[in-house]
Amino acid sequence: MKERWPLMLLAVTRTASRCIPNLHPSRLLGYLSDNNAHPTSHAEKWISAGGGLVSVFMILLISQQVLDMHGTTLVVASMSASAVLLFAVPHGAMSQPWAVLGGHIISALIGVTVARWIESPLMASAIAVSLSIVVMHYLNCLHPPGGATALVAVLGGSAVQEMGYSYAVTPVLANAVILLTIAMIFNYPFIWRRYPQAWQEAVPTEKCMIAHSDLVYALTEIDSFIDVSEEDLLRIYGLALGHHRIPQPQGQMLPIESTL
């Protein structure tokens, strides 16, 4: 039987190569790795790390007051994922306050409800996460760590299950509020890290800018959640137009024909 494994592996590889003609080891490594340098500066990376340090430390202090170490570990794991979004991607749609609050609280309520009605932990976990995804979609508060919050309500152990629906208030709501408060205060001194998105200045109307109605139409045609706001898309487009120019001998700046 052991001698057949290499032959079976070779057969599977050949079958996959026929189904995917462009599959090549070097090409596959190119898909898995990102050789392009990340556009953020070193300062931006360390600022994000500093925010994560402060927020996770505060969440740990609160969670350990109401949960055992097992429950605290699971809850903080979910909130730590939120900290990555709030401090590393503060402009993202999934990082905004309603996404954080709604995503965690709704997922917590769903998780507790499913755990009470379904005895099988495996089935309850899968259903809790899937229901959380669809409800977050409909309520426009899609937040990936919310799935982990629903999972903790099912697999968090006796300490979490004994809390019942109060789990959605303490520690989930309390931790989410602390996380948002720290994100607002921590990001405020840095002008380019405006948080929440509503605090940013309105994008000025400029010639050749994309009309808001056209942008909304384009986003709806994609029919997929994109973690970027309309304001950021307009700002990116405006910066691209400003950069897409060439200096002339007389000192004038003439726009190059856009390829958009």
Side-chain angles (χ1 to χ4, degrees), residues 39-209:
T40 56
S41 63
H42 293 294
E44 176 73 5
K45 292 179 174 66
W46 283 103
I47 290 173
S48 302
L53 172 66
V54 176
S55 60
V56 173
F57 179 76
M58 294 300 297
I59 290 172
L60 278 168
L61 289 180
I62 290 183
S63 297
Q64 69 179 0
Q65 301 299 325
V66 296
L67 293 173
D68 57 13
M69 182 54 65
H70 175 68
T72 298
T73 302
L74 295 176
V75 171
V76 174
S78 172
M79 291 296 168
S80 297
S82 295
V84 174
L85 289 173
L86 267 66
F87 295 100
V89 196
H91 304 165
M94 294 182 181
S95 307
Q96 300 311 302
W98 169 236
V100 177
L101 288 175
H104 278 297
I105 296 174
I106 291 170
S107 298
L109 295 175
I110 292 175
V112 173
T113 303
V114 172
R116 289 189 171 188
W117 285 91
I118 300 179
E119 296 182 0
S120 172
L122 295 179
M123 183 63 66
S125 299
I127 293 177
V129 174
S130 63
L131 287 178
S132 298
I133 293 174
V134 70
V135 173
M136 285 190 290
H137 254 303
Y138 277 109
L139 296 182
N140 197 28
C141 58
L142 195 60
H143 190 62
T149 299
L151 194 64
V152 172
V154 179
L155 302 178
S158 59
V160 174
Q161 294 175 357
E162 291 174 0
M163 297 177 67
Y165 287 104
S166 62
Y167 161 74
V169 180
T170 304
V172 173
L173 176 59
N175 285 338
V177 170
I178 289 177
L179 190 61
L180 287 172
T181 303
I182 295 176
M184 293 177 184
I185 297 174
F186 188 88
N187 289 321
Y188 185 79
F190 311 103
I191 299 176
W192 67 94
R193 293 176 62 90
R194 73 267 187 217
Y195 185 86
Q197 189 79 17
W199 284 6
Q200 73 166 343
E201 297 181 359
V203 178
T205 303
E206 299 180 12
K207 189 177 181 180
C208 298
M209 291 294 287

